[in-house]
């Protein structure tokens, strides 16, 4: 058995053990799930909603849903993949009721810059470099907001969250070829959008 296959099997065993502990009423098990995935879920919610406040609300709702349904996780995928799927499905459902399918994502100037966005400072960067990086981040957010939702999701999961093609296929419930196509089309459209943004 290859090392990667053994590692995957080991992670799935740990995931299932965590789920079993949760099902038996071990509160610390859910705390572990929350601490492991809270930042990831918040970032997805922020990129999908465009609002720090809304992303915080979505994160709470997503983890409430995870808490209620964690016992239904059967280990057919990694727990991380399942959590991503729950997060994306909840964002789609909630945002489709209240928002148009494309809207600005945090940092378009319409919202307070500090609102909910996690900003990590790099002590090796000077003020000018940090300002340029912040401007690049705002432009990327605006470009992502212009993508159709299915392309935006694929690009976010691959290029911003670092998921493999297989993981993205599992999260989105589509074939790997579809994932590759969506990512390629999303990147092309994003590149065109960024060229035309001020």
């Amino acid at each position: 058995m290859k090392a990667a296959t053994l590692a995957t099997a080991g992670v799935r065993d740990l995931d299932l053990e965590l789920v079993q502990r949760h099902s038996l009423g071990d509160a610390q098990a859910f705390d572990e799930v929350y601490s492991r995935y809270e930042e990831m879920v918040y970032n997805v919610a922020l990129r999908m909603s465009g609002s720090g406040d809304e992303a915080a609300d979505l994160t709470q709702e997503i983890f409430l849903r995870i808490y209620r349904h964690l016992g239904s996780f059967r280990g057919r995928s990694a727990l991380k993949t399942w959590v991503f799927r729950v997060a994306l499905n909840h964002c789609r459902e909630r945002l489709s009721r209240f928002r148009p399918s494309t809207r600005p994502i945090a940092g378009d100037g319409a919202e307070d810059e500090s609102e909910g966005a996690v900003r990590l400072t790099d002590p090796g960067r000077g003020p000018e470099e940090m300002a340029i990086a912040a401007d690049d981040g705002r432009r990327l957010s605006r470009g992502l907001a212009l993508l159709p939702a299915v392309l935006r999701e694929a690009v976010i999961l691959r290029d911003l969250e670092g998921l493999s093609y297989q993981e993205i296929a599992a999260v989105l419930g589509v074939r790997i070829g579809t994932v590759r196509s969506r990512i390629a089309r999303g990147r092309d459209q994003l590149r065109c959008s960024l060229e035309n943004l001020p």
Side-chain angles (χ1 to χ4, degrees):
M1 199 178 252
K2 292 182 179 177
T5 306
L6 285 172
T8 301
V11 168
R12 288 217 178 119
D13 289 344
L14 290 173
D15 289 347
L16 288 170
E17 179 187 327
L18 201 57
V19 170
Q20 185 177 23
R21 284 174 43 213
H22 171 74
S23 298
L24 294 172
D26 181 349
Q28 191 173 2
F30 183 75
D31 291 345
E32 287 179 43
V33 172
Y34 183 83
S35 65
R36 201 188 293 181
Y37 300 113
E38 185 267 337
E39 184 177 349
M40 176 189 85
V41 167
Y42 175 81
N43 285 335
V44 168
L46 179 63
R47 290 171 178 140
M48 294 298 292
S49 70
S51 162
D53 286 341
E54 187 145 22
D57 289 346
L58 283 165
T59 299
Q60 288 181 354
E61 293 167 6
I62 289 163
F63 276 104
L64 181 59
R65 187 173 280 195
I66 289 169
Y67 181 84
R68 289 178 178 156
H69 299 286
L70 190 57
S72 69
F73 175 74
R74 296 289 175 249
R76 291 187 201 102
S77 65
L79 184 60
K80 174 182 175 183
T81 303
W82 184 82
V83 168
F84 261 115
R85 190 178 310 124
V86 171
L88 270 180
N89 286 341
H90 185 76
C91 287
R92 284 176 187 154
E93 178 186 311
R94 169 114 179 274
L95 297 173
S96 68
R97 286 184 285 169
F98 301 112
R99 304 244 185 267
S101 61
T102 57
R103 67 181 238 97
I105 297 178
D108 68 348
E111 297 181 13
D112 178 9
E113 285 287 327
S114 63
E115 181 189 342
V118 178
R119 305 264 186 240
L120 301 176
T121 57
D122 181 352
R125 286 184 173 181
E128 185 176 341
E129 289 175 313
M130 289 171 64
I132 291 169
D135 186 53
D136 288 345
R138 282 190 292 274
R139 289 184 76 244
L140 177 61
S141 293
R142 288 169 55 206
L144 281 170
L146 297 172
L147 293 178
V150 294
L151 303 183
R152 184 182 339 140
E153 291 168 359
V155 170
I156 287 170
L157 292 175
R158 178 65 182 162
D159 295 332
L160 301 177
E161 294 299 327
L163 270 66
S164 69
Y165 289 104
Q166 292 83 1
E167 289 173 320
I168 297 168
V171 169
L172 299 178
V174 297
R175 292 187 297 231
I176 290 177
T178 304
V179 169
R180 291 183 191 281
S181 171
R182 288 181 184 179
I183 290 169
R185 288 175 23 229
R187 286 173 177 166
D188 286 344
Q189 288 186 29
L190 181 59
R191 191 176 303 112
C192 290
S193 295
L194 291 176
E195 287 171 0
N196 294 316
L197 286 174

